[in-house]
């Protein structure tokens, strides 16, 4: 029950973060600056210049907005193309991650057996992390471009110093939620990556090995038969001879404790 609740919580968080990033693609005011306050007045603003990934706009004090759409793809500024490409890549990976995680959760009845669903959930969490990193790279590229102009010592004539807008912060929050949801997914399937240590049980002179633990370093355990099986197990040999035979038939490593028995 606890595993299902963690997976549902991770699904909601990661999906919400994906929606946040998707919404920023269509939002305005990625960067904004304002001109005004002549004569010492900072109350009445004369004009606002703002832009997003698709257009540059100018809004005057009468709330009239004039916009200029960016030209065709191959003539857009290089960093705008990079931001668009990284966000598209991150959203695509996030979409496949949402589908894989939905199929791989324990509360759904599609996707096959438990082992297959765990693999799907693990793949979905990896896709979420990759998509979140791609989205973060896009926002950081945009922020770097604005910061280089804003904090430059000297700028050319007609170059405006922009501030960061709301979509940047909303997108960063969305990236954090995506990666956090992926962590919740990975916690529930942690045993798929790092399974528990398996044990080899010895019954008298023979051994039993769990088939899932073959090829791994194992720890040997011993089984002491009860008294009712003494007539069957007893053969007149000493305990040292039994241990010697067990060491010859068990193709596994002993722990330090067993070495001194």
């Amino acid at each position: 029950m606890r595993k299902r609740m963690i997976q549902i919580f991770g699904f909601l968080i990661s999906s919400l973060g994906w929606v946040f990033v998707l919404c920023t693609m269509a939002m305005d005011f990625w960067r904004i600056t304002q001109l005004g306050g002549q004569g010492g007045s900072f109350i009445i603003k004369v004009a606002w210049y703002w832009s997003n990934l698709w257009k540059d706009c100018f809004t005057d004090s009468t709330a009239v907005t004039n916009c200029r759409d960016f030209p065709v793809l191959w003539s857009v500024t290089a960093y705008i193309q990079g931001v668009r490409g990284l966000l598209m890549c991150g959203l695509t990976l996030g979409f496949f991650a949402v589908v894989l995680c939905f199929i791989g959760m324990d509360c759904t009845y599609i996707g096959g057996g438990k082992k297959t669903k765990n693999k799907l959930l693990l793949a979905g969490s990896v896709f979420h992390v990759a998509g979140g990193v791609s989205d973060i790279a896009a926002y950081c590229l945009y922020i770097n471009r604005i910061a280089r102009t804003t904090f430059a010592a000297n700028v050319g004539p007609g170059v405006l110093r922009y501030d960061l807008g709301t979509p940047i912060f909303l997108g960063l929050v969305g990236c954090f939620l995506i990666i956090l949801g992926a962590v919740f997914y990975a916690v529930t399937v942690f045993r798929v990556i790092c399974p528990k240590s398996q044990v080899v049980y010895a019954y008298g002179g023979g051994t039993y090995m769990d088939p899932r633990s073959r090829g791994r370093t194992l720890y040997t355990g011993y089984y002491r038969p009860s008294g009712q099986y003494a007539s069957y197990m007893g053969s007149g040999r000493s305990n040292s001879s039994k241990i010697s035979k067990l060491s010859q038939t068990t193709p596994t490593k002993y722990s330090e404790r067993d070495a001194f028995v």
Side-chain angles (χ1 to χ4, degrees):
M1 185 65 182
R2 183 176 60 181
K3 179 180 179 181
R4 291 186 177 184
M5 292 299 298
I6 294 176
Q7 290 179 355
I8 293 174
F9 192 58
F11 178 79
L12 295 177
I13 289 178
S14 58
S15 300
L16 182 63
W18 186 83
V19 171
F20 280 1
V21 175
L22 179 64
C23 290
T24 60
M25 292 284 292
M27 291 179 66
D28 296 330
F29 303 104
W30 274 62
R31 60 178 184 174
I32 184 172
T33 186
Q34 52 195 6
L35 300 177
Q38 287 83 357
S41 175
F42 293 93
I43 299 176
I44 300 177
K45 303 300 179 184
V46 176
W48 292 266
Y49 291 89
W50 56 271
S51 62
N52 56 16
L53 297 178
W54 316 103
K55 58 187 177 181
D56 278 325
C57 296
F58 164 78
T59 303
D60 59 17
S61 57
T62 60
V64 176
T65 301
N66 297 312
C67 293
R68 179 185 64 87
D69 293 335
F70 290 152
V72 291
L73 179 62
W74 49 84
S75 61
V76 180
T77 309
Y79 84 95
I80 293 292
Q81 292 181 356
V83 173
R84 288 178 181 178
L86 289 171
L87 286 179
M88 290 294 185
C89 180
L91 290 173
T92 304
L93 291 174
F95 173 78
F96 287 111
V98 170
V99 174
L100 290 175
C101 291
F102 179 78
I103 297 175
M105 290 193 302
D106 286 352
C107 59
T108 58
Y109 295 96
I110 54 178
K114 183 177 180 180
K115 186 176 181 180
T116 303
K117 291 173 73 69
N118 287 336
K119 290 182 178 179
L120 290 175
L121 192 63
L122 180 61
S125 63
V126 173
F127 275 37
H128 267 312
V129 172
V133 171
S134 179
D135 295 332
I136 291 176
Y139 294 120
C140 290
L141 177 61
Y142 198 89
I143 292 171
N144 178 66
R145 179 70 180 211
I146 297 176
R148 287 174 58 187
T149 305
T150 302
F151 297 103
N154 297 314
V155 295
V159 178
L160 299 176
R161 298 177 185 266
Y162 286 92
D163 296 325
L164 297 177
T166 304
I168 300 294
F169 301 100
L170 183 63
L172 292 176
V173 171
C175 294
F176 172 75
L177 294 178
I178 290 173
I179 296 178
L180 182 61
V183 171
F184 283 133
Y185 287 137
V187 168
T188 59
V189 294
F190 177 75
R191 290 302 178 186
V192 177
I193 307 172
C194 301
K196 295 180 179 179
S197 300
Q198 304 296 331
V199 179
V200 173
Y201 298 94
Y203 298 90
T207 59
Y208 167 75
M209 181 182 295
D210 193 336
R212 296 177 299 176
S213 61
R214 292 173 182 172
R216 303 189 183 96
T217 301
L218 306 174
Y219 295 94
T220 304
Y222 296 95
Y223 173 75
R224 183 184 298 276
S226 58
Q228 57 182 335
Y229 299 105
S231 60
Y232 174 76
M233 300 298 297
S235 59
R237 291 176 294 181
S238 62
N239 292 333
S240 59
S241 62
K242 292 182 179 180
I243 295 176
S244 177
K245 180 180 179 181
L246 179 61
S247 63
Q248 296 175 1
T249 58
T250 306
T252 58
K253 299 179 180 180
Y254 290 96
S255 62
E256 295 181 357
R257 183 195 55 161
D258 299 326
F260 296 97
V261 174

